[in-house]
Amino acid sequence: MTTTAIIGAGPGLGAAIARRFGDEGHSIALIARNQDRLDALAAELAEAGVTARGYAANVRDTASVREALDRATQELGAIQVLTYNPLPQKEFLRPVLETTPEDLVGAAEFSIYAPVAAVHQVVQGMRFLGAGTILFVNGGSAVRPHASYAGTSIAFAGQSAYGQMLHETLRSEGIHVGQLIIPRGIEPGDATHDPDVLAGVLWEMHAQRGDFRRYAESLDG
């Protein structure tokens, strides 16, 4: 059974990804900070016939990310799909002239160090299998910097560059790396930004592959 690891497994997009990939027969490793909430989500998914387990980790602590992914691999099997979609913290969403070096440390831990740690933990297994998918989820500031959200604009740009390099480096080995840009955030009930709709887009990116970047809607929409 294919295992999908979801870093940022909350009640919105993370849960929708778990349902979508679980419905396709994947086992789901749910990764976020709160073990009780993860256990509750895993139980909810189990009632729907999805095999899921929760693994607590803080994305600002790369050691905990690596440990969570290692435990998931031991218990559920080699991770063949990794999604990185935690919600940025409010402290990263300050105007550029109010953003301090300390703010950027946190943003980099969240959006650069943790994804790099996660990829390093799973990519060798993917390379051994000759197959895998890595999907990053970002807001519009990843491709169009916004002075009101300096921390995420800077850190998301770094994550985008990392993902693009991975895409170019790994595609010849059967590993697809993609990025979904979601302008204006996730909105339940919205035709293009509802969590279930976005989870469907991510499934298409995994199944159909294609280019590195896809947009939930045009940045000018």
Side-chain angles (χ1 to χ4, degrees):
M1 183 178 288
T2 300
T3 299
T4 291
I6 302 169
I7 300 181
L13 180 59
I17 296 170
R19 290 191 296 269
R20 184 68 179 87
F21 282 71
D23 286 346
E24 297 290 341
H26 291 213
S27 296
I28 308 297
L30 304 164
I31 300 174
R33 287 184 294 176
N34 188 298
Q35 186 67 53
D36 289 340
R37 292 178 183 175
L38 291 172
D39 291 343
L41 178 56
E44 179 183 321
L45 291 165
E47 290 180 0
V50 175
T51 299
R53 294 186 184 179
Y55 303 91
N58 184 342
V59 295
R60 296 183 63 177
D61 176 359
T62 55
S64 74
V65 172
R66 290 192 295 266
E67 181 181 347
L69 289 167
D70 181 59
R71 286 189 289 120
T73 299
Q74 292 179 33
E75 295 179 8
L76 297 175
I79 293 168
Q80 293 175 258
V81 180
L82 173 70
T83 73
Y84 190 84
N85 49 277
L87 288 174
Q89 297 175 6
K90 291 182 179 180
E91 65 193 76
F92 308 151
L93 306 177
R94 293 176 178 163
V96 63
L97 295 180
E98 297 176 16
T99 297
T100 67
E102 290 74 21
D103 293 331
L104 294 182
V105 169
E109 289 172 342
F110 195 93
S111 295
I112 300 175
Y113 301 165
V116 171
V119 169
H120 269 258
Q121 187 66 33
V122 303
V123 75
Q124 293 308 319
M126 293 180 180
R127 297 179 76 188
F128 177 79
L129 294 171
T133 301
I134 300 167
L135 299 171
F136 300 104
V137 179
N138 297 101
S141 61
V143 291
R144 183 176 291 176
H146 197 301
S148 296
Y149 312 116
T152 53
S153 294
I154 294 167
F156 279 177
Q159 188 181 122
S160 296
Y162 178 61
Q164 181 75 58
M165 290 186 289
L166 288 174
H167 174 79
E168 295 170 358
T169 300
L170 294 171
R171 59 185 171 185
S172 64
E173 299 187 42
I175 300 168
H176 176 60
V177 181
Q179 180 188 47
L180 175 61
I181 301 295
I182 307 174
R184 68 181 173 86
I186 298 167
E187 298 182 23
D190 187 89
T192 56
H193 287 60
D194 181 84
D196 290 333
V197 173
L198 295 168
V201 173
L202 288 165
W203 173 260
E204 291 176 5
M205 293 172 68
H206 161 66
Q208 300 175 8
R209 308 204 157 199
D211 295 334
F212 168 65
R213 182 172 292 135
R214 184 162 170 177
Y215 294 84
E217 69 171 7
S218 168
L219 286 177
D220 300 314

